């Protein structure tokens, strides 16, 4: 069975892999499948005790991953995929399910339990077919299956197990080993699908595609089932029903006796038959808010009326993917005489006026409007004008504009002019002395970034930054402000970086359990804001901030009153100088600013100084896999710096090319995503 016969059926369709696993990406890419990667946000916290068999847990996890992405994409990415593929791989031995080890001791426990024994590697797979209807509803069909492969470990000494553990390879792999790399030396034999052990059962997956697209004429089995999910505002429920007569047999699964695939087919020792579920949802309901799916099954008879709602086999083929731009163009041609909707017009006007909103915020911040109203809430426009030394008319317009932006609130008073107060948003981020103040970053945007964007046409035409034209500086140095002769310019830049780091730092340092690391090096750590957060959260960690001499010499200005002596500063250039030794290296908002060549130079230096088991923590604003967002990431790229934004999957491939094992990815509560990987 090869993939080619069904490739033509997928042409022009949006196929999505709901996983950031580089191994699954490589397996499917090598098979010739064209797809996008959108990692699922589903938290793998299902209670294993609720499942009768390990494969049921893997299949359910894969299903939840795929459905989460299928439901999120119409809202987050503004497009509906045609197919979403979810997968989850587990190792099971003597009834225990082994996933990824939490630390080295956990890895040793797992590998010891496998030592000298035969175990099973099970991958659950869910294929969600999305059918977009004219009324903006989406029908979901769910095909799920699993593949089981038997693997036998040789009898291994403790020394050999610990040597493998210290290589760092076990830390991101189910069961604590990777058969495609060093872990292959632990294995005595494999019975079944080798790629299933790597992370994805390609042969079984291809057969499912063949059944979906090329074999829709089979008659249904006597005990086939279809699962319908219905949604309302209060909860989500599902009803297990008997399938209609026109559903093909290969889409069925007996609830009483799970079907095993014939070993003679060459598929491996044990494989599941798949199940077809069909799910309907309305795009205006719970999923828009990101509600997770709760399955509550009950048996019922399936009436003839209900059977009429089930798609027949001919409709199993994916519909052509709707490309948003093309669809809009057709609608304009067909409905050009129809008046535009208010919400559509408002969306365009908001974009047109976006620069005015930014400038209003910059001006109010620069004139200390929010500080004045925090110290004396309720002042009217005349009183504020006196405080900020501005005209009454101008101040009144500025205050009212800030009200419309949600930064101030106006209070009507009898026989008096309205008074103004800060909103919670302004009090949290716009005050000079607020713990999470962004005022310094706002000033930097006003003074340094705004002028660049006022020359955006030239930047786009030339594909280059406009700093030299505006400020008389060359574009060779990404961070010209740190090398400026002006102390004021240097401090303006450092103030800005410090403020944004203080806002995002807490989410970054708590993204992962870092207790196994004792020393860290924050490369390009600037004022040490992130480093100080690290020492607050991780008492056993010491951090060295490694940055340019011009940055380090000003670092004392940003030292907290009760600073921890576990934070130290070392001057140097991470492209040229030797890097300090550490257990963990941190790169926060660094790589996106540099060219591919310099990124590879830096990562090579980090990889060279790392010993097996060392960690690399990468923090960036991850680009969506379809490059449709987030907005702040793509707008920042218009700066035309030498770097570029990347998705989590692209960073994964980049880091693996430098010897770091497949990263764990976390989408934090902040604007930054975090990725932790281990040096092999």
């Amino acid at each position: 069975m090869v993939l080619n016969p069904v490739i033509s059926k997928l042409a022009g369709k949006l196929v999505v892999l709901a996983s950031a696993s580089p191994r699954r990406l490589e397996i499917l890419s090598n098979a010739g499948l064209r797809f996008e990667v959108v990692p699922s946000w589903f938290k793998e916290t299902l209670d294993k005790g609720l499942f009768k068999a390990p494969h049921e847990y893997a299949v359910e996890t894969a299903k939840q991953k795929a459905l989460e992405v299928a439901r999120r994409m119409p809202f987050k990415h503004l497009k509906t995929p045609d197919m979403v593929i979810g997968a989850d791989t587990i190792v099971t031995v003597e009834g225990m399910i082994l996933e990824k080890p939490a630390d080295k001791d956990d890895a040793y426990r797992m590998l010891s339990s496998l030592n000298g024994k035969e175990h099973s590697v099970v991958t659950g797979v869910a294929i969600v077919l999305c059918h977009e209807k004219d009324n903006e509803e989406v029908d979901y069909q769910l095909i799920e299956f699993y593949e089981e492969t038997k693997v036998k470990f040789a009898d291994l000494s403790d020394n050999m197990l610990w040597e493998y553990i210290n290589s760092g390879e076990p830390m991101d792999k189910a069961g604590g080993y990777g058969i495609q790399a060093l872990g292959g030396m632990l294995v005595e034999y494999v019975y079944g699908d080798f790629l299933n052990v790597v992370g994805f059962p390609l042969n079984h997956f291809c057969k499912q595609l063949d059944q979906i697209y090329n074999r829709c004429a089979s008659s249904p089995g006597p005990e086939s089932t279809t699962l319908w999910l219905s949604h309302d505002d209060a909860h989500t429920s599902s009803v297990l029903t008997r399938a209609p007569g026109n559903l093909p047999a290969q889409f069925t699964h007996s609830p009483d006796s799970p079907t095993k695939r014939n070993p003679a087919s060459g598929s491996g020792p044990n494989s599941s038959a798949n199940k077809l579920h069909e799910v309907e949802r309305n795009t205006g309901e719970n999923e828009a808010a990101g509600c997770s799916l709760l399955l509550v099954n009950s048996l019922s008879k399936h009436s003839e009326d209900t059977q009429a709602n089930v798609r027949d086999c001919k409709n199993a083929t994916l519909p052509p993917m709707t490309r948003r731009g093309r669809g809009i163009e057709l609608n304009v041609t067909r409905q050009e005489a129809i008046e535009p909707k208010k919400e559509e017009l408002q969306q365009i006007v908001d974009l047109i006026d976006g620069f005015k909103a930014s400038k209003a915020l910059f001006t109010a911040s620069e004139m200390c409007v929010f500080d004045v109203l925090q110290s004396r809430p309720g002042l009217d426009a005349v009183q504020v004008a006196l405080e900020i030394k501005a005209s009454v008319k101008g101040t009144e317009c500025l205050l009212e504009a800030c009200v419309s932006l949600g930064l101030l609130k106006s209070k009507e008073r009898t026989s008096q002019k309205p008074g103004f107060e800060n909103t919670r948003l302004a009090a949290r981020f716009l005050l000079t002395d607020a713990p999470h103040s962004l005022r310094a970053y706002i000033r930097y945007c006003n003074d340094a970034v705004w002028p660049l964007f006022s020359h955006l046409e030239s930047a786009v035409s030339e594909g280059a930054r406009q700093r030299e034209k505006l400020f008389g500086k060359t574009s060779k140095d990404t961070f010209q402000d740190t090398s400026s002769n002006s102390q004021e310019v240097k401090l303006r830049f450092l103030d800005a970086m410090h403020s944004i780091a203080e806002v995002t730092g807490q989410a970054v340092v708590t993204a992962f359990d870092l207790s196994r690391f004792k020393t860290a090096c924050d490369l390009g750590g600037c004022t040490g804001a992130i480093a100080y957060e690290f020492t607050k959260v991780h008492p056993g960690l010491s951090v060295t901030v490694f940055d340019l001499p011009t940055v380090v010499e000003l670092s004392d200005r940003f030292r907290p009153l009760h600073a921890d002596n576990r934070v130290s500063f070392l001057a140097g250039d991470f492209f040229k100088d030797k890097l300090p030794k550490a257990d963990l290296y941190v790169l926060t908002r660094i790589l996106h600013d540099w060219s591919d060549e310099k990124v590879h130079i830096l990562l090579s230096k980090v990889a060279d100084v790392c010993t097996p088991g060392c960690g690399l923590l990468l923090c960036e604003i991850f680009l969506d896999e379809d490059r449709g967002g987030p907005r702040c990431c793509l707008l920042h790229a218009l700066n035309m710096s030498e770097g570029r934004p990347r998705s989590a999957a692209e960073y994964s491939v980049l880091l693996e090319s430098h010897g770091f094992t497949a990263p764990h990815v976390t989408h934090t509560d902040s604007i930054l995503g975090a990725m932790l990987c281990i040096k092999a």
Side-chain angles (χ1 to χ4, degrees):
M1 172 63 202
V2 295
L3 192 57
N4 287 338
V6 294
I7 276 290
S8 60
K9 301 289 179 67
L10 296 174
K13 301 184 187 303
L14 178 56
V15 180
V16 173
L17 175 62
S19 170
S21 166
R23 292 171 290 280
R24 293 186 184 123
L25 187 152
E26 183 179 11
I27 291 170
L28 290 172
S29 296
N30 289 343
L33 185 65
R34 303 178 72 88
F35 58 93
E36 293 185 10
V37 175
V38 180
S40 177
W41 293 353
F42 173 70
K43 295 183 178 180
E44 299 177 37
T45 55
L46 297 176
D47 185 352
K48 299 179 182 66
L50 298 177
F51 298 89
K52 294 181 180 179
H55 75 264
E56 294 178 356
Y57 170 79
V59 168
E60 182 66 21
T61 301
K63 178 172 69 175
Q64 297 293 353
K65 288 179 179 179
L67 284 173
E68 188 280 322
V69 170
R71 287 170 166 160
R72 169 162 48 97
M73 285 190 67
F75 306 104
K76 177 75 173 175
H77 303 263
L78 299 181
K79 58 185 177 184
T80 300
D82 296 297
M83 175 186 288
V84 179
I85 304 164
D88 186 63
T89 301
I90 59 172
V91 171
T92 175
V93 60
E94 298 175 345
M96 293 188 303
I97 294 176
L98 307 181
E99 295 186 285
K100 297 173 184 177
D103 51 35
K104 289 184 178 181
D105 290 336
D106 195 27
Y108 176 74
R109 179 187 62 80
M110 289 184 180
L111 293 173
S112 296
S113 69
L114 303 177
N115 197 8
K117 300 176 185 175
E118 185 180 88
H119 62 272
S120 294
V121 178
V122 178
T123 300
V125 179
I127 303 172
V128 177
L129 307 179
C130 308
H131 303 270
E132 197 168 28
K133 300 193 293 188
D134 292 338
N135 61 358
E136 295 187 351
E137 289 184 349
V138 177
D139 285 349
Y140 295 116
Q141 287 177 286
L142 175 63
I143 299 100
E144 58 186 43
F145 62 92
Y146 73 95
E147 184 75 20
E148 181 176 359
T149 304
K150 298 293 185 181
V151 180
K152 169 70 162 51
F153 263 30
D155 289 312
L156 306 165
S157 67
D158 273 6
N159 286 340
M160 189 169 183
L161 290 180
W162 277 109
E163 186 175 348
Y164 177 61
I165 291 168
N166 289 329
S167 74
E169 187 177 277
M171 303 314 298
D172 72 317
K173 295 174 177 65
Y177 74 96
I179 196 170
Q180 74 280 11
L182 296 176
M185 296 186 292
L186 313 178
V187 174
E188 193 169 282
Y189 67 73
V190 176
Y191 177 49
D193 186 342
F194 177 82
L195 289 181
N196 181 55
V197 186
V198 177
F200 194 81
L202 182 64
N203 179 268
H204 197 165
F205 173 72
C206 294
K207 288 180 178 179
Q208 295 299 331
L209 292 185
D210 184 51
Q211 290 178 349
I212 293 171
Y213 293 112
N214 297 330
R215 302 182 185 180
C216 287
S218 303
S219 59
E223 296 296 332
S224 61
T225 61
T226 297
L227 186 67
W228 289 73
L229 296 182
S230 60
H231 300 269
D232 58 34
D233 291 335
H235 67 281
T236 305
S237 64
S238 64
V239 182
L240 185 63
T241 62
R242 193 173 298 277
N246 61 353
L247 196 62
Q250 61 266 30
F251 288 169
T252 67
H253 178 71
S254 168
D256 301 318
S257 56
T259 306
K260 292 289 181 77
R261 292 171 60 198
N262 187 352
S265 67
S267 305
N270 294 293
S271 301
S272 73
N274 62 296
K275 295 188 288 185
L276 172 66
H277 306 287
E278 187 152 324
V279 187
E280 289 192 335
R281 72 151 172 80
N282 186 295
T283 56
E285 295 182 348
N286 291 357
E287 292 74 14
C291 296
S292 59
L293 180 65
L294 173 65
L295 297 181
V296 184
N297 298 332
S298 61
L299 291 171
S300 69
K301 294 292 183 181
H302 199 31
S303 68
E304 294 181 2
D305 291 340
T306 307
Q307 290 183 25
N309 291 324
V310 182
R311 298 178 181 274
D312 59 26
C313 185
K314 293 180 182 179
N315 290 333
T317 302
L318 285 172
M321 188 180 74
T322 302
R323 294 293 184 188
R324 296 279 170 176
R326 190 176 303 166
I328 292 173
E329 184 177 331
L330 291 174
N331 288 338
V332 170
T333 303
R334 187 170 63 248
Q335 302 178 6
E336 58 187 359
I338 298 177
E339 287 295 319
K341 294 181 179 179
K342 179 180 179 181
E343 55 269 25
E344 294 175 337
L345 182 59
Q346 188 63 54
Q347 183 179 4
I348 292 297
V349 171
D350 287 344
L351 290 174
I352 294 171
D353 284 346
F355 77 98
K356 301 175 186 175
S358 296
K359 196 62 178 177
L361 167 61
F362 296 166
T363 302
S365 178
E366 185 65 25
M367 300 182 80
C368 300
V369 168
F370 306 108
D371 286 339
V372 167
L373 289 176
Q374 187 68 14
S375 62
R376 298 178 62 190
L379 295 181
D380 60 29
V382 174
Q383 294 167 321
V384 174
L386 289 172
E387 292 288 335
I388 65 173
K389 298 179 173 56
S391 68
V392 173
K393 178 181 178 180
T395 301
E396 188 173 32
C397 290
L398 181 60
L399 294 174
E400 290 174 346
C402 288
V403 170
S404 73
L405 296 175
L407 305 176
L408 297 179
K409 51 189 176 183
S410 173
K411 288 192 173 183
E412 295 293 335
R413 297 179 296 188
T414 306
S415 303
Q416 291 183 345
K417 293 183 178 181
F420 296 89
E421 295 180 2
N422 288 327
T423 61
R424 183 175 177 273
L425 189 68
R428 187 168 189 183
F429 296 110
L430 303 181
L431 303 180
T432 301
D433 58 355
H436 295 114
S437 176
L438 285 172
R439 188 161 180 259
Y441 184 68
I442 290 170
R443 175 177 292 176
Y444 176 76
C445 289
N446 190 33
D447 294 345
V449 180
W450 177 273
L452 291 177
F453 273 77
S454 66
H455 290 76
L456 186 57
E457 294 90 344
S458 298
V460 171
S461 298
E462 300 168 15
R465 303 184 83 176
Q466 302 299 299
R467 276 188 173 273
E468 189 172 1
K469 292 180 181 178
L470 290 169
F471 307 118
K473 301 175 182 179
T474 66
S475 58
K476 293 180 181 178
D477 182 8
T478 297
F479 298 104
Q480 295 94 340
D481 287 343
T482 59
S483 57
S484 172
N485 292 325
S486 169
Q487 187 87 333
E488 181 183 353
V489 171
K490 289 180 186 177
L491 286 174
R492 181 188 65 185
F493 176 78
L494 295 180
D495 278 336
M497 297 303 101
H498 186 78
S499 68
I500 199 72
E502 284 195 316
V503 171
T504 58
Q506 180 70 15
V508 166
V509 303
T510 57
F512 300 101
D513 178 8
L514 303 176
S515 57
R516 57 181 142 161
F517 303 111
K518 302 305 178 186
T519 58
C521 178
D522 189 358
L523 297 172
C526 201
T527 63
I530 298 288
Y532 290 120
E533 288 293 333
F534 269 116
T535 56
K536 287 180 187 176
V537 175
H538 304 285
L541 187 67
S542 297
V543 185
T544 299
V545 177
F546 189 74
D547 213 319
L548 296 171
T550 55
V551 175
V552 172
E553 69 184 15
L554 295 173
S555 61
D556 282 345
R557 291 174 176 262
F558 300 92
R559 184 180 178 87
L561 289 176
H562 305 289
D564 198 307
N565 58 11
R566 288 179 291 128
V567 175
S568 60
F569 289 80
L570 182 63
D573 185 330
F574 51 50
F575 289 122
K576 301 175 182 178
D577 299 322
K578 184 178 179 180
L579 303 182
K581 286 282 187 180
D583 299 330
L584 175 70
Y585 290 86
V586 182
L587 289 168
T588 303
R589 294 286 285 151
I590 298 295
L591 298 187
H592 74 280
D593 274 317
W594 299 102
S595 66
D596 288 355
E597 179 185 3
K598 289 183 178 178
V599 165
H600 283 293
I601 290 173
L602 177 55
L603 290 179
S604 295
K605 286 174 66 69
V606 175
D608 289 343
V609 76
C610 278
T611 56
C614 280
L616 175 60
L617 178 62
L618 175 72
C619 304
E620 292 280 356
I621 301 176
F622 294 141
L623 192 63
D624 292 344
E625 302 301 334
D626 65 352
R627 303 190 71 83
R631 183 185 300 178
C632 62
C633 185
L634 295 171
L635 291 177
H636 177 81
L638 288 172
N639 271 323
M640 298 297 166
S641 67
E642 57 182 292
R644 62 185 176 92
R646 292 178 176 86
S647 66
E650 288 175 313
Y651 277 117
S652 297
V653 173
L654 179 65
L655 294 175
E656 283 209 330
S657 70
H658 288 275
F660 293 95
T661 57
H664 301 277
V665 179
T666 294
H667 296 273
T668 71
D669 293 333
S670 180
I671 59 175
L672 295 182
M675 183 179 292
L676 178 65
C677 55
I678 305 297
K679 183 68 168 64

